[in-house]
Amino acid sequence: MLRRSLLAAPLVLAAAPALAQWVPKLPIKILVGYAPGGTADITARLAADAIMRQHGYPVVVDNKTGAGGFIALKQVAQSPPDGYTVGIGIMGQIAVGAVVPGSNIPLDLDKELVPIANLVGVPMALIVRPNAPFKTIPELVAYAKANPGKLSYASTGLGSTNQLAAEFLGFESGGLKMIHVPYRGGAPAIADVAAGNVDMFFGNVSELMSLANAGKVRVLALAATKPTPLAPDLPLLTKDIPALDINNWFGIFGPAGLPADIQAALSKLFIGAIADPSNKEALAKQGLESLGQDPAAFKAYIMKDRERWAKVVKQGNIKAE
């Protein structure tokens, strides 16, 4: 697997306002490596609709699923750097996959892609089985310490964001000894937590609240520094463990070699689109927060995220499937 250090070439966007003068003459295509209806797809379509509404530029969302979302990003990397093909990249691919040994990544993320804009983030939440003997994070930690090797957590596979989040919790709590139970997807993992077969699971809060509201699982805490509109009364995990602020982000990437003026113009278009007031309600319903990071801020955010997850990977000796 190719190693990743920094994302593409240095960006110089603040040098001259004239750089952001590129105007699209053809439809912009957003490639999404995940199925319609998911967070990545919803994000792309909200941005596309807003760009068309604000500026009249045609934008098309094209779902290219497979290989953990990398089929779409590979196609982005192979596209001409003319601004007309971009793609959604997510934390699990760009920040987590890049630092987990054995990850099957079919391109060099840093040499073949450039960041354009970080659009939205959704916090992770920790759910536990309904009859779990702990109702708070301190109680969970105390239980795990009193019962080493008994507490179990589900994930969507070895090297997944779900696994790293649980290991991060264990690491920040003083080294909890837990049992990892990997599944082939989030649905069976959550189902086994609901059935009481596994103790806990970290997932995007937007994917968990319907089950929690139905009483099938219990949400112990939100891994964020502030409440979510989806469930404003959820306890914040960061109050007990400050480092546990886990925001799954969704950003726009383009092919390497994208000229600075096109990169700047696209960044402005997408940031403005996701911040459109008409998107506020739709984002809130999905538990999404507008991030609006330009290429420089996005690049720094990615590198900081990689540094954090690399420590968790090393501490837990984590490898991909």
Side-chain angles (χ1 to χ4, degrees):
M1 180 184 69
L2 294 170
R3 291 294 83 201
R4 292 96 187 156
S5 53
L6 296 176
L7 284 171
L11 306 172
V12 185
L13 297 179
L19 285 177
Q21 298 302 311
W22 177 79
V23 174
K25 304 297 185 184
L26 299 171
I28 298 171
K29 182 185 291 185
I30 307 174
L31 299 182
V32 179
Y34 303 92
T39 304
D41 178 72
I42 290 171
T43 300
R45 293 182 189 279
L46 288 175
D49 289 346
I51 290 173
M52 290 188 284
R53 186 171 57 250
Q54 292 173 345
H55 305 282
Y57 305 146
V59 185
V60 178
V61 176
D62 189 3
N63 299 85
K64 298 283 187 180
T65 61
F70 282 112
I71 285 178
L73 286 183
K74 182 66 175 178
Q75 188 169 329
V76 171
Q78 294 173 337
S79 299
D82 54 13
Y84 296 113
T85 302
V86 297
I88 293 281
I90 71 174
M91 183 185 80
Q93 296 171 301
I94 309 295
V96 173
V99 300
V100 176
S103 296
N104 186 18
I105 302 178
L107 73 161
D108 190 308
L109 298 173
D110 298 341
K111 292 182 179 179
E112 297 183 58
L113 296 173
V114 293
I116 291 173
N118 200 5
L119 300 182
V120 300
V122 57
M124 297 190 85
L126 177 62
I127 60 169
V128 299
R129 55 187 169 91
N131 59 344
F134 35 79
K135 295 184 178 180
T136 66
I137 292 299
E139 288 179 0
L140 180 150
V141 172
Y143 175 87
K145 289 182 176 179
N147 301 274
K150 186 175 180 180
L151 186 71
S152 61
Y153 70 87
S155 83
T156 57
L158 296 172
S160 65
T161 303
N162 318 94
Q163 182 191 10
L164 266 67
E167 290 292 331
F168 194 21
L169 169 65
F171 176 65
E172 291 293 329
S173 301
L176 305 182
K177 294 182 179 179
M178 302 180 291
I179 299 172
H180 176 209
V181 185
Y183 292 80
R184 293 286 185 182
I190 295 169
D192 255 13
V193 175
N197 298 324
V198 186
D199 290 313
M200 64 182 197
F201 174 78
F202 269 99
N204 290 345
V205 66
S206 55
E207 300 168 357
L208 302 174
M209 287 314 302
S210 60
L211 287 171
N213 292 335
K216 294 182 179 180
V217 297
R218 208 155 16 100
V219 182
L220 212 61
L222 185 73
T225 58
K226 60 183 179 181
T228 172
L230 281 181
D233 296 327
L234 284 182
L236 299 180
L237 208 161
T238 51
K239 287 188 176 180
D240 296 301
I241 309 174
L244 265 290
D245 178 15
I246 309 175
N247 195 25
N248 261 324
W249 48 260
F250 299 76
I252 291 288
F253 291 80
L258 194 65
D261 61 330
I262 298 178
Q263 186 180 27
L266 285 171
S267 181
K268 185 176 180 180
L269 279 179
F270 277 98
I271 289 174
I274 212 66
D276 190 302
S278 65
N279 283 334
K280 185 175 181 180
E281 183 178 350
L283 291 174
K285 284 183 178 180
Q286 297 295 323
L288 299 173
E289 175 190 5
S290 175
L291 297 177
Q293 294 174 333
D294 66 16
F298 190 13
K299 177 181 175 181
Y301 191 66
I302 291 168
M303 300 315 299
K304 185 176 180 181
D305 236 7
R306 285 185 183 177
E307 183 179 354
R308 171 173 65 168
W309 293 124
K311 291 179 181 177
V312 176
V313 167
K314 183 177 180 180
Q315 176 70 21
N317 192 29
I318 296 170
K319 297 180 181 179
E321 292 180 278

